[in-house]
Amino acid sequence: MHAPTSSERPQLRRQLLQTRQSTPLATRQAWDQRIAEQVYARVLAMNCQRLAIFWPIKGEPDLQACYQALHDRGVQLALPLVVGKGQPLRFIPWAPGDAMELDDWGIPIPQLRDQELAVDTLLIPCVGFNAERYRLGYGGGYYDRSLAQMPQANTIGVAYQQAQISFAHESYDIAMQCIVTETGLM
């Protein structure tokens, strides 16, 4: 089998999302617990102070209990905010219990968005990933543009192991420093 080209990426995304969303909820919840334990340990071991997290959409790993535990340990959390097409993300301070509202895509974002947090580490959801730790996202390029402006930031991709697939990365793609799945750290 050949590695999918950029023109085949939309179909690859659809297949990966369908597989993820068709996985039984109870199975994903068990996987989420294993991923959360590894993320928690990894973030603390890295001495992360300011962590960009993600709100789970489309069957992504739900790490909200992990976010609470990290917040309790003093890690400052931030959620990504899409500013506009072709723009890097902004990271808005967030703590469990903060008021939220839906953005234009139906994703919960902090209601108060007047401040930004300069994060040192990013948890980044992956629709797919390859053996070289390149991620396949939803196709908007927001994380790639953001990471290009944050070369010192630590990056932790988060995905289910079933999302590992062979694909060629594009010139603008940035490899994750590690990928956390329910089966371990890569």
Side-chain angles (χ1 to χ4, degrees):
M1 183 174 134
H2 75 286
T5 63
S6 58
S7 64
E8 296 171 307
R9 282 184 172 202
Q11 176 61 28
L12 182 59
R13 281 186 189 93
R14 282 191 294 279
Q15 290 170 351
L16 289 166
L17 287 169
Q18 182 178 19
T19 298
R20 183 168 76 195
Q21 291 175 314
S22 67
T23 301
L25 179 60
T27 300
R28 285 190 281 128
Q29 288 173 330
W31 292 348
D32 291 352
Q33 179 61 38
R34 290 196 289 256
I35 291 170
E37 290 167 3
Q38 293 178 74
V39 166
Y40 180 80
R42 180 81 176 156
V43 168
L44 292 182
M46 294 169 66
N47 197 28
C48 169
Q49 302 297 310
R50 297 171 313 280
L51 178 66
I53 58 173
F54 61 91
W55 201 267
I57 61 169
K58 300 182 181 181
E60 290 172 342
D62 185 343
L63 305 179
Q64 292 181 62
C66 178
Y67 301 159
Q68 178 69 58
L70 290 168
H71 173 75
D72 292 347
R73 290 291 300 261
V75 177
Q76 290 181 283
L77 305 175
L79 283 167
L81 179 69
V82 173
V83 178
K85 189 174 175 80
Q87 300 294 314
L89 298 165
R90 285 180 53 217
F91 295 97
I92 308 301
W94 176 83
D98 282 359
M100 304 281 277
E101 62 187 24
L102 300 180
D103 69 7
D104 294 341
W105 294 272
I107 301 170
I109 56 173
Q111 205 169 50
L112 297 175
R113 297 185 292 280
D114 56 341
Q115 295 183 12
E116 273 187 70
L117 185 65
V119 298
D120 56 46
T121 305
L122 293 89
L123 284 183
I124 303 176
C126 307
V127 173
F129 65 96
N130 66 17
E132 292 79 37
R133 296 186 313 276
Y134 285 96
R135 70 180 278 279
L136 186 65
Y138 293 101
Y142 295 106
Y143 276 108
D144 290 317
R145 276 189 290 283
S146 301
L147 293 175
Q149 296 184 351
M150 307 167 69
Q152 304 306 316
N154 296 306
T155 54
I156 304 170
V158 176
Y160 298 127
Q161 188 61 49
Q162 66 188 9
Q164 184 171 1
I165 191 161
S166 176
F167 64 89
H169 70 276
E170 301 288 341
S171 61
Y172 53 81
D173 288 338
I174 297 173
M176 301 290 95
Q177 289 171 332
C178 65
I179 305 272
V180 176
T181 72
E182 73 279 7
T183 62
L185 187 70
M186 181 178 145

